[in-house]
Amino acid sequence: MRTNRTRIRTATIGAAATAALALALTACGGDGSGTKSAGPADNSSTSSAGTSGAAKSHDANSDTDKDANADAATTGGSAKAVTSSTGKSNGGAAKAGGTTGGDTSDSYAYKHPCKSEDLSVRVYAREGSATQQVIEVNNTGANSCGLSYFPRVSLGSATAKDHSGDIRPLIPSGLGGAPAYPVKPKTAAIAVIDLNPSGGGSGVTWINELNVLADGDHMPNAEQLNFPLGPDVKVLDPKLGLYESTVADAVASMKQADTKS
């Protein structure tokens, strides 16, 4: 999913001076309703360091849609579907669930794929790594829901007219088991991608965008989100892990990636 104390000195003021001061304040509209300070920034979820800008939502094959969203002043993503934001990893686990009144069972999630309007997606740099990005998919709905084992991810250029040359990361092999990855309300599914696991200096340099579809099994291309990457990115044999409940587990899963996605 980043205060200065004012010392107040008292002084004795004569009754006349006090009255004059009160009259002056009344004449100037001094009722306390002037411009209010916005207060300190809310850094409850992530630090502002290392942010890469808001994501845009568009069909992977639609450049018209991309251009239309290029200057959108939002917190990211589609206003009517998936939303997103960016920030710096705090290295913690997914948010703890709370009582919502909905069905929070895994069995319910297996039968009900997550809907985009019940998800919020964040992508941010993992703290302590120069090449890894965290993909965090939060369930903001009232019920548990199911995601594909991993997000569908590709790496490409934001200005490309043809995305057939986008790079797809390796994923872990040997998938099987439960029909979906269950996500309880107010919790997150976390995946980690390493853009350059070996740290090689000969990686691809034209890539400047990370494309994410939270559920590659059920969601249409139109619900894909596009996150800008920072400058001087070099992509070489990228690896993507499965969804996990913590960043640490997601990193461990990413290191097992050995087959094409």
Side-chain angles (χ1 to χ4, degrees):
M1 173 183 298
R2 74 190 30 205
T3 44
N4 298 324
R5 298 183 179 176
T6 303
R7 180 173 298 173
I8 302 176
R9 295 180 299 177
T10 60
T12 303
I13 304 176
T18 302
L21 177 59
L23 181 61
L25 288 173
T26 301
C28 294
D31 59 353
S33 62
T35 302
K36 297 181 179 180
S37 170
D42 182 2
N43 294 324
S44 59
S45 60
T46 57
S47 168
S48 62
T51 57
S52 58
K56 301 171 289 180
S57 177
H58 65 71
D59 191 315
N61 299 313
S62 172
D63 290 293
T64 300
D65 193 33
K66 179 184 293 183
D67 293 338
N69 286 280
D71 298 322
T74 68
T75 57
S78 169
K80 62 182 179 180
V82 180
T83 58
S84 65
S85 60
T86 56
K88 183 180 178 183
S89 167
N90 58 15
K95 300 174 183 177
T99 301
T100 62
D103 194 320
T104 62
S105 67
D106 287 353
S107 58
Y108 183 90
Y110 295 151
K111 298 177 182 179
H112 296 81
C114 295
K115 297 179 180 180
S116 59
E117 58 264 29
D118 292 330
L119 299 178
S120 176
V121 181
R122 299 197 311 134
V123 171
Y124 47 92
R126 187 176 80 83
E127 187 174 15
S129 173
T131 60
Q132 295 177 10
Q133 297 283 325
V134 179
I135 301 169
E136 180 184 289
V137 181
N138 290 276
N139 180 0
T140 61
N143 302 303
S144 291
C145 63
L147 291 171
S148 51
Y149 285 166
F150 55 90
R152 194 181 75 189
V153 173
S154 65
L155 298 154
S157 170
T159 58
K161 295 182 179 180
D162 180 5
H163 288 275
S164 62
D166 285 5
I167 296 176
R168 300 284 292 272
L170 296 177
I171 60 170
S173 59
L175 302 181
Y181 181 85
V183 191
K184 296 183 184 299
K186 306 302 181 291
T187 64
I190 298 173
V192 169
I193 183 172
D194 196 327
L195 305 179
N196 190 344
S198 66
S202 59
V204 175
T205 58
W206 53 267
I207 290 176
N208 59 13
E209 189 172 67
L210 174 66
N211 309 308
V212 178
L213 187 63
D215 188 334
D217 291 344
H218 301 96
M219 294 181 177
N221 288 340
E223 294 179 3
Q224 176 176 280
L225 290 175
N226 313 92
F227 295 85
L229 296 172
D232 303 322
V233 171
K234 292 184 179 180
V235 176
L236 181 64
D237 301 326
K239 292 184 175 184
L240 172 70
L242 305 181
Y243 279 130
E244 301 287 353
S245 61
T246 68
V247 173
D249 287 344
V251 170
S253 176
M254 174 271 296
K255 292 180 179 179
Q256 303 301 315
D258 57 359
T259 189
K260 292 183 179 180
S261 57

